[in-house]
C-alpha cells in the first residue's frame, strides 16, 4: 500500500481512493496491534515500522505540499506503529511461584 501511489495522495480531494487507502492502512495496523497483544510477539512491530519507514519516505518527498490532514494521517500511522511495539509487553504474564 505504501508504494501504490507514487505521487503523495491528496487527502483533501473528494475521491474515494485516498479515503479507502487510509481506512485500509489504519485497519491493518490496528490488526497488527491486536495480533501483537494476542501473541505477545514484537515481529508485528517490526512489520509496522518497516511500513511506516516506506510511508515516511513518501511523506518526506512531498513535505512542502503537505496539509494538516496529511500530517494528522502520518501521526495516526506513527501512533499505531508505536502501539504495536508497546502493547505486546502488556501481554506477557508471569507465572505465580
Amino acid at each position: 500500500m505504501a508504494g501504490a501511489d507514487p505521487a503523495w495522495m491528496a487527502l483533501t480531494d473528494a475521491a474515494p481512493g485516498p479515503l479507502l487507502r487510509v481506512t485500509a492502512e489504519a485497519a491493518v495496523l490496528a490488526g497488527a496491534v491486536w495480533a501483537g497483544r494476542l501473541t505477545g510477539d514484537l515481529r508485528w512491530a517490526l512489520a509496522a515500522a518497516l511500513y511506516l519507514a516506506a510511508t515516511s519516505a513518501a511523506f518526506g518527498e512531498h513535505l512542502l505540499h503537505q496539509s494538516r490532514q496529511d500530517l494528522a494521517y502520518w501521526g495516526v500511522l506513527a501512533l499505531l506503529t508505536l502501539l504495536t511495539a508497546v502493547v505486546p509487553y502488556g501481554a506477557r504474564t508471569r507465572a505465580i511461584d
Side-chain angles (χ1 to χ4, degrees):
M1 280 190 288
D5 189 9
W8 184 259
M9 62 182 179
L11 293 177
T12 56
D13 290 347
L19 181 60
L20 290 173
R21 180 176 168 178
V22 168
T23 304
E25 288 172 338
V28 168
L29 286 174
V33 172
W34 176 76
R37 171 77 174 132
L38 188 65
T39 62
D41 193 359
L42 289 174
R43 287 181 281 187
W44 295 100
L46 177 62
L50 290 173
Y51 183 77
L52 182 65
T55 305
S56 296
F59 185 79
E61 288 177 4
H62 305 283
L63 192 58
L64 297 176
H65 307 291
Q66 301 301 332
S67 67
R68 293 173 82 185
Q69 289 178 331
D70 296 323
L71 184 59
Y73 157 70
W74 185 86
V76 167
L77 294 181
L79 176 67
L80 288 170
T81 300
L82 178 67
L83 286 175
T84 60
V86 173
V87 166
Y89 286 110
R92 296 183 181 149
T93 59
R94 295 184 180 187
I96 299 175
D97 294 331

